[in-house]
Amino acid sequence: MENCIFCKIAAKEIPSNAVYEDEEIYCFHDLEPQAPVHVLIIPKKHFASLNEVTESAEDKELLGHLMAKVGQIADILGLENGYRLVNNCGEDGMQTVPHLHFHLLGKRKLTWPPG
Ligand code: 5GP
Ligand code: ZN
């Protein structure tokens, strides 16, 4: 998707600090971390938000793959004590970048409920 910052990050047109990458997903450190560990996990395929994910076999495989990798990424980051996986969707969800991404936060006691 043209002019999408996370598509450009996934394509290495914009630099980022990588944690994990494979053919389908990319994980990199957030520019403004909200916890000692704060990374973003994105599908390389562009979806503006979770609302664009369909029940097609392709989308289900991709999102299933992303979720199945979270534990491995948490291991890479040393999050053995736990973490939080967050998706902000749309205006009320305070989504600011319109390319589907999951925040993985950890290495501090996270408060609940979120604001
Ligand atoms: P959202 O508010 O959409 O859920 O999250 C977007 C996240 O992307 C924010 O935490 C923000 O700090 C991060 N972010 C925005 N632009 C960039 C960038 O160019 N590089 C990196 N690494 N993170 C970014
Ligand atoms: Zn994109």
Side-chain angles (χ1 to χ4, degrees), residues 5-6 9 14-17 28-34 38 40 87-88 93-98 101 103:
I5 190 162
F6 285 0
I9 284 175
I14 291 176
S16 61
N17 190 353
F28 56 100
H29 286 274
D30 197 290
L31 207 55
E32 293 180 41
Q34 303 301 315
H38 182 178
L40 302 170
N87 172 251
N88 297 326
M94 296 290 280
Q95 181 180 3
T96 59
V97 176
H101 53 280
H103 300 255

Side-chain angles (χ1 to χ4, degrees), residues 2 13 22 24 33 41 63 77 91 102 106 112:
E2 239 177 273
E13 291 164 19
D22 62 31
E24 294 181 303
I41 308 172
L63 269 292
L77 294 164
E91 194 182 337
F102 296 88
W112 190 263

Side-chain angles (χ1 to χ4, degrees), residues 1 4-8 43-48 98-100:
M1 170 70 71
C4 169
I5 190 162
F6 285 0
C7 281
K8 287 183 178 167
K44 289 183 174 177
K45 176 180 171 182
H46 181 90
F47 299 91
H99 178 125
L100 178 61

Side-chain angles (χ1 to χ4, degrees), residues 4-113:
C4 169
I5 190 162
F6 285 0
C7 281
K8 287 183 178 167
I9 284 175
K12 312 289 160 54
E13 291 164 19
I14 291 176
S16 61
N17 190 353
V19 173
Y20 174 85
E21 178 173 20
D22 62 31
E23 274 187 17
E24 294 181 303
I25 67 171
Y26 186 51
C27 174
F28 56 100
H29 286 274
D30 197 290
L31 207 55
E32 293 180 41
Q34 303 301 315
V37 168
H38 182 178
V39 301
L40 302 170
I41 308 172
I42 67 169
K44 289 183 174 177
K45 176 180 171 182
H46 181 90
F47 299 91
S49 79
L50 208 45
N51 287 338
E52 283 194 357
V53 176
T54 72
E55 293 197 71
S56 69
E58 184 193 336
D59 286 2
K60 285 199 278 191
E61 193 283 329
L62 175 52
L63 269 292
H65 172 72
L66 188 153
M67 285 297 158
K69 284 289 175 190
V70 171
Q72 192 178 316
I73 292 168
D75 276 352
I76 292 169
L77 294 164
L79 300 178
E80 59 284 326
N81 214 34
Y83 55 82
R84 186 170 295 160
L85 186 70
V86 176
N87 172 251
N88 297 326
C89 186
E91 194 182 337
D92 281 0
M94 296 290 280
Q95 181 180 3
T96 59
V97 176
H99 178 125
L100 178 61
H101 53 280
F102 296 88
H103 300 255
L104 179 62
L105 303 123
K107 288 283 180 196
R108 73 169 165 83
K109 200 87 174 171
L110 297 158
T111 56
W112 190 263

